[in-house]
Amino acid sequence: EAQVTQNPRYLITVTGKKLTVTCSQNMNHEYMSWYRQDPGLGLRQIYYSMNVEVTDKGDVPEGYKVSRKEKRNFPLILESPSPNQTSLYFCASSPRSVDPYNEQFFGPGTRLTVL
Amino acid sequence: AQSVAQPEDQVNVAEGNPLTVKCTYSVSGNPYLFWYVQYPNRGLQFLLKYITGDNLVKGSYGFEAEFNKSQTSFHLKKPSALVSDSALYFCAVSAASGGSYIPTFGRGTSLIVHP
């Protein structure tokens, strides 16, 4: 089944404790991205990647890191989480960023709470 | 820069009545427009898209959307609402950013269908 998977689905952590949220897709998509969803603010893009070893900042990149060493994986890293990073996080992928008509495929989401 | 506006945070409609969820956009160049739906505790799912051609686009679950270039709108519609249509709906536009196309999402509209 074609899908985007994220792990963990739920995470409660404490301020300053480094964490990684994994994202993997099995559709051979070139483009992957991370979003956070907060009430009243909709979806905001954190980082995106147009292909392996090519990443760029989205609208709200502060406090986050990403890497794209393999085509299928795009982990989101919080080096020192803070309470304002408590949010619902989504990973998404699409076939190619150079094609404007591709829809995004979303993962199920990761609900992160930073105490 | 491209942008998407969803002017209503919430839309209420009675089951069996027609529904409309509004979206307006601003892009330079050709617009590529999308609607996504998010059910509770789920990731976003693609509903439909406008690329070119017929201004009325049909999508999943009986939804359709009307593209209006002069009003820069892409409203989502359904002739007869179901309680199960209650969800969060996002409009998105894909527009050129350098050599790629990066999607921009609206803030979302909560659709509530009353029995």
Side-chain angles (χ1 to χ4, degrees):
Chain A
E1 180 190 355
Q3 60 183 346
V4 178
T5 56
Q6 294 179 228
N7 283 291
R9 294 289 311 279
Y10 302 91
L11 179 60
I12 300 175
T13 189
V14 296
T15 298
K17 186 176 181 182
K18 181 180 178 180
L19 66 92
T20 299
V21 183
T22 64
C23 172
S24 183
Q25 50 90 8
N26 62 1
M27 296 168 280
N28 201 36
H29 285 173
E30 290 184 357
Y31 181 85
M32 297 185 74
S33 61
W34 277 101
Y35 296 88
R36 60 177 291 173
Q37 183 179 18
D38 302 289
L41 298 177
L43 281 175
R44 294 182 291 169
Q45 192 176 51
I46 303 170
Y47 269 94
Y48 63 92
S49 168
M50 289 185 278
N51 213 326
V52 176
E53 302 291 1
V54 181
T55 63
D56 210 344
K57 296 177 181 179
D59 299 320
V60 288
E62 294 77 20
Y64 305 94
K65 285 176 57 177
V66 293
S67 67
R68 188 91 181 273
K69 294 187 172 69
E70 307 165 278
K71 199 170 189 179
R72 64 183 293 129
N73 296 323
F74 190 45
L76 180 69
I77 303 157
L78 285 71
E79 294 269 4
S80 182
S82 62
N84 64 11
Q85 293 178 297
T86 292
S87 187
L88 180 58
Y89 291 86
F90 288 102
C91 181
S93 71
S94 70
R96 300 200 320 154
S97 63
V98 295
D99 299 327
Y101 43 80
N102 289 320
E103 62 266 28
Q104 303 289 307
F105 292 76
F106 283 82
T110 294
R111 187 166 292 280
L112 172 65
T113 302
V114 183
L115 302 175
Chain B
Q2 66 269 18
S3 65
V4 171
Q6 294 181 241
E8 302 153 317
D9 290 335
Q10 184 171 301
V11 170
N12 290 278
V13 64
E15 188 173 32
N17 283 0
L19 70 87
T20 298
V21 182
K22 295 180 180 177
C23 172
T24 59
Y25 65 90
S26 174
V27 297
S28 54
N30 294 324
Y32 300 89
L33 297 155
F34 303 79
W35 276 102
Y36 293 83
V37 60
Q38 183 183 24
Y39 298 104
N41 301 314
R42 302 285 295 275
L44 279 72
Q45 299 175 36
F46 168 74
L47 269 183
L48 51 79
K49 63 184 174 184
Y50 171 82
I51 301 172
T52 187
D54 195 344
N55 289 343
L56 187 64
V57 179
K58 295 191 183 298
S60 307
Y61 311 119
F63 283 93
E64 57 191 26
E66 186 171 12
F67 172 69
N68 187 315
K69 187 173 184 178
S70 62
Q71 296 185 7
T72 61
S73 67
F74 188 55
H75 300 332
L76 182 69
K77 301 183 179 187
K78 187 173 183 181
S80 178
L82 300 171
V83 172
S84 57
D85 292 329
S86 298
L88 192 55
Y89 291 82
F90 289 93
C91 182
V93 63
S94 183
S97 176
S100 300
Y101 289 84
I102 307 300
T104 298
F105 287 83
R107 291 192 172 189
T109 299
S110 178
L111 173 66
I112 299 175
V113 182
H114 302 277

